[in-house]
């Protein structure tokens, strides 16, 4: 079996090594420009179109991340790139939910316990004890209750917050008050102190973090965007911060990545910027999941994690 690999900037040898442990008979090759030889499976992150276009023998594409927006954008530009019967799979958690839990918990606690304000006070050698708040009356919302959002929501429940979650379909997540669909969106948002975004970027969710959403939150709320930069309307965020409707934002993802040096977010004390690191792809867990799926596909069994191309995630 031939496995084609492409992930710019990654040490491909680690992937080769992990794959050899699990699928010892597979031939692993790193894609190079001009390589148009057949392959059974493609393991890719943001591949060039020529890697996939007309590739003979392809049985499946594995996206080496949870978000498939970049891959689907390629397919939209070049609909014949992939034969319609070739399934595309995303990573389902594969070591990312633990990282997301850490990021979200830090961002929520930083706001809830006023650690951001204490950091500013320290710069002025200012010793002022701010009022304490009760977790039980500090509602936190998680947008997206998939592989990552559901775990984040449950971790926030464990920290004592009343947690709401929002998805497209009706969900059950223990301890979380779940809302579904557009018609329940406003009720989900009403009075949230923090909203954490873990939606996929699709035509329906593009620009969802906008002025209308911010206006539904509690005054002085915080926005945590750890999904995609395309979810956020940047001008609306700055306006909501200036108006005091929001007190801050934790942003890991941006419309332009890397965030340009002259972008106002870099120097805005109300905004925490991280360079798209909320959850990194972990080699061993990802290869473990992919190898398991390849074995099932080879046996003709049903396999989870398949992307619905029409839905966009
Ligand atoms: P997932 O398993 O596909 O879950 C997506 C969730 O979003 C599902 O609960 C889905 O609802 C919900 N959803 C989708 N469209 C919706 C809509 N229009 N309205 C309401 N809910 C909607 O995705 P995941 O693995 O949790 O990953 C989520 C996203 O995190 C990725 O797409 C990626 O953009 C981002 N991410 C970022 C990083 C980072 O480092 N910053 C790392 C990994 C992932 P249903 O359950 O009803 O289908
Ligand atoms: C990273 O952003 C991912 O989608 O896995």
């Amino acid at each position: 079996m031939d496995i084609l690999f492409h992930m710019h900037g990654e040490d491909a040898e680690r992937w080769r090594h992990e794959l050899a442990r699990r699928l010892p008979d597979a031939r692993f090759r790193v894609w190079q420009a001009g390589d148009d030889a057949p392959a059974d499976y493609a393991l890719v992150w943001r591949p060039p179109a020529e890697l996939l276009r007309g590739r003979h023998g392809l049985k499946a594409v594995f996206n080496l991340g949870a978000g498939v927006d970049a891959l689907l954008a390629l397919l939209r530009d070049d609909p014949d790139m992939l034969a319609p019967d070739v399934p595309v799979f995303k990573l389902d958690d594969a070591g990312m939910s633990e990282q997301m839990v850490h990021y979200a918990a830090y961002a929520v606690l930083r706001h809830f316990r006023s650690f951001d304000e204490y950091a500013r006070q320290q710069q002025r050698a200012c010793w002022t004890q701010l009022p304490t708040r009760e977790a039980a009356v500090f509602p936190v919302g998680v947008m997206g209750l998939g592989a990552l959002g559901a775990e984040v929501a449950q971790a926030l429940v464990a920290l004592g917050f009343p947690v709401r979650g929002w998805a497209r379909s009706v969900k059950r997540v223990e301890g979380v008050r779940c809302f579904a669909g557009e018609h329940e969106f406003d009720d989900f948002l009403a009075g949230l102190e923090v909203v954490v975004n873990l939606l996929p970027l699709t035509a329906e969710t593009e620009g969802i973090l906008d002025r209308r959403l911010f206006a539904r939150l509690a005054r002085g709320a915080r926005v945590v965007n750890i999904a995609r930069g395309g979810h956020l309307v940047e001008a609306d965020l700055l306006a909501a911060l200036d108006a005091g409707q929001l007190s801050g934002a934790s942003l890991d993802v941006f419309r332009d990545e890397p965030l340009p040096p002259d972008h106002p977010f870099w120097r805005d004390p109300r905004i925490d910027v991280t360079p798209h690191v909320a959850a990194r792809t972990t080699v061993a867990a990802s290869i473990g999941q992919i190898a398991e799926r390849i074995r099932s596909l080879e046996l003709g069994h049903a396999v989870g994690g398949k992307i619905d191309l029409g839905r966009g995630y």
Side-chain angles (χ1 to χ4, degrees):
M1 161 195 318
D2 287 295
I3 297 191
L4 197 53
F5 175 86
H6 172 85
M7 192 178 200
H8 184 72
E10 266 288 296
D11 175 6
E13 289 316 304
R14 292 172 60 213
W15 290 83
R16 187 193 300 278
H17 173 75
E18 290 293 337
L19 190 81
R21 285 180 50 213
R22 291 169 172 92
L23 294 175
D25 296 332
R27 285 179 298 276
F28 176 95
R29 77 178 191 271
V30 180
W31 183 80
Q32 311 282 352
D35 172 350
D36 60 0
D40 296 282
Y41 298 101
L43 276 48
V44 295
W45 179 246
R46 298 176 175 272
E50 59 263 40
L51 188 156
L52 296 174
R53 192 183 299 118
R55 176 79 47 191
H56 286 292
L58 206 54
K59 296 177 191 166
V61 176
F62 290 93
N63 183 63
L64 297 177
V68 287
D69 44 295
L71 187 56
L72 297 194
L74 262 188
L75 285 171
R76 267 195 305 278
D77 290 348
D78 186 352
D80 300 328
M81 191 172 75
L82 210 55
D85 58 341
V86 176
V88 176
F89 295 90
K90 73 186 260 292
L91 288 178
D92 269 334
D93 188 343
M96 284 188 275
S97 71
E98 185 181 68
Q99 300 172 66
M100 281 302 187
V101 162
H102 294 162
Y103 194 110
Y106 172 77
V108 171
L109 290 174
R110 182 169 155 76
H111 178 51
F112 170 65
R113 292 295 312 271
S114 307
F115 293 136
D116 42 5
E117 189 50 39
Y118 287 124
R120 284 191 283 273
Q121 286 190 185
Q122 183 176 354
Q123 285 174 349
R124 292 178 275 123
C126 167
W127 182 280
T128 301
Q129 294 173 334
L130 300 170
T132 49
R133 296 187 275 205
E134 267 184 67
V137 290
F138 192 86
V140 177
V142 180
M143 296 166 65
L145 291 172
L148 304 179
E151 294 294 323
V152 165
Q154 284 193 298
L156 293 169
V157 170
L159 287 173
F161 299 107
V163 179
R164 300 180 206 158
W166 184 64
R168 207 155 88 132
S169 57
V170 176
K171 296 269 169 247
R172 251 171 216 266
V173 182
E174 190 158 351
V176 177
R177 193 167 157 215
C178 294
F179 296 79
E182 260 179 66
H183 64 291
E184 292 187 0
F185 193 40
D186 282 355
D187 290 342
F188 160 74
L189 293 171
L192 288 176
E193 296 284 353
V194 182
V195 67
V196 178
N197 177 36
L198 270 167
L199 290 168
L201 183 63
T202 66
E204 286 177 15
T205 65
E206 207 275 334
I208 195 166
L209 299 174
D210 66 357
R211 112 178 50 147
R212 201 190 70 87
L213 180 151
F214 303 147
R216 300 285 305 163
L217 307 177
R219 186 155 179 84
R222 189 171 186 92
V223 170
V224 180
N225 188 20
I226 44 184
R228 285 292 182 264
H231 287 125
L232 177 68
V233 180
E234 296 186 350
D236 286 6
L237 174 73
L238 292 172
L241 288 167
D242 289 344
Q245 174 55 19
L246 295 179
S247 63
S250 299
L251 306 179
D252 183 56
V253 285
F254 304 90
R255 284 181 183 261
D256 265 351
E257 294 186 5
L259 188 64
D262 58 350
H263 197 289
F265 288 174
W266 279 118
R267 275 161 285 277
D268 193 318
R270 303 163 299 185
I271 298 177
D272 291 342
V273 169
T274 48
H276 200 144
V277 290
R280 318 285 297 274
T281 296
T282 57
V283 182
S286 303
I287 281 290
Q289 185 174 95
I290 291 168
E292 194 56 45
R293 287 174 171 174
I294 289 178
R295 275 192 220 101
S296 297
L297 286 169
E298 291 290 312
L299 292 169
H301 296 163
V303 178
K306 190 170 149 185
I307 296 307
D308 178 331
L309 299 182
R311 204 176 57 167
Y313 70 98

